[in-house]
Amino acid sequence: MEVAVADTGFVVALLNQTDARHSDVVPIYTRQSSIFLPQTVLAEVAYLVGRDAGIQTVVAFLRGLTASRFRLTPLIDVDVNRVAAILQVYADSRIDFVDASVMAVAERYESTKILTLDQRDFRLFQPKHCDSFEILP
């Protein structure tokens, strides 16, 4: 089974039970055996979940991360260079650093599946390894 790569909005909706998209992301999360979670996503997740669901939800997520389906993935040199290239090529599109890092990690692992609520940026992007990403939900 192909491993998916998660973006911030997906994780936030998963963790915050009051999020309008929570019920959309839970079944998708449970169907995945493993999900790459770029470390760059963590700061946004911690901020948004802490703000909306409380710091204890952030603490519980961080403490349970190793037992979850998420596989925390650091950026390596090749990813950083690819992020820079993506930001340069798509400068007029306002793709941000975190989204570009998710794209770079997906390319490195040749994953075509992105778990995100931000369809615009991920539909706009042309990955090197496939025609387009499958975006869930």
Side-chain angles (χ1 to χ4, degrees):
M1 174 182 253
E2 180 189 8
V3 177
V5 182
D7 186 33
T8 304
F10 181 88
V11 181
V12 169
L14 180 69
L15 298 177
N16 184 353
Q17 295 180 6
T18 65
D19 189 287
R21 301 295 304 273
H22 179 75
S23 62
D24 296 331
V25 301
V26 169
I28 292 165
Y29 173 80
T30 58
R31 284 195 302 263
Q32 307 303 311
S33 60
S34 187
I35 303 167
F36 289 123
L37 181 66
Q39 283 183 332
T40 52
V41 170
L42 281 183
E44 286 185 337
V45 167
Y47 170 74
L48 294 170
V49 171
R51 180 192 70 190
D52 298 338
I55 198 67
Q56 290 308 318
T57 304
V58 175
V59 170
F61 170 65
L62 294 174
R63 288 195 171 140
L65 194 56
T66 58
S68 74
R69 288 174 168 84
F70 292 113
R71 298 295 160 247
L72 197 55
T73 308
L75 294 188
I76 61 174
D77 291 346
V78 69
D79 298 328
V80 173
N81 289 328
R82 183 62 177 139
V83 167
I86 292 167
L87 293 175
Q88 183 174 26
V89 169
Y90 293 90
D92 292 341
S93 303
R94 297 185 342 259
I95 290 177
D96 68 23
F97 174 80
V98 173
D99 287 352
S101 71
V102 170
M103 295 165 185
V105 167
E107 284 185 336
R108 175 165 41 115
Y109 288 103
E110 296 187 345
S111 175
T112 60
K113 192 181 300 183
I114 303 291
L115 308 180
T116 185
L117 302 179
D118 177 11
Q119 298 213 2
R120 179 194 165 276
D121 290 350
F122 291 94
R123 290 206 186 283
L124 182 71
F125 178 67
Q126 175 60 58
K128 288 182 174 182
H129 65 291
C130 61
D131 291 334
S132 62
F133 287 127
E134 176 186 359
I135 299 170
L136 299 172

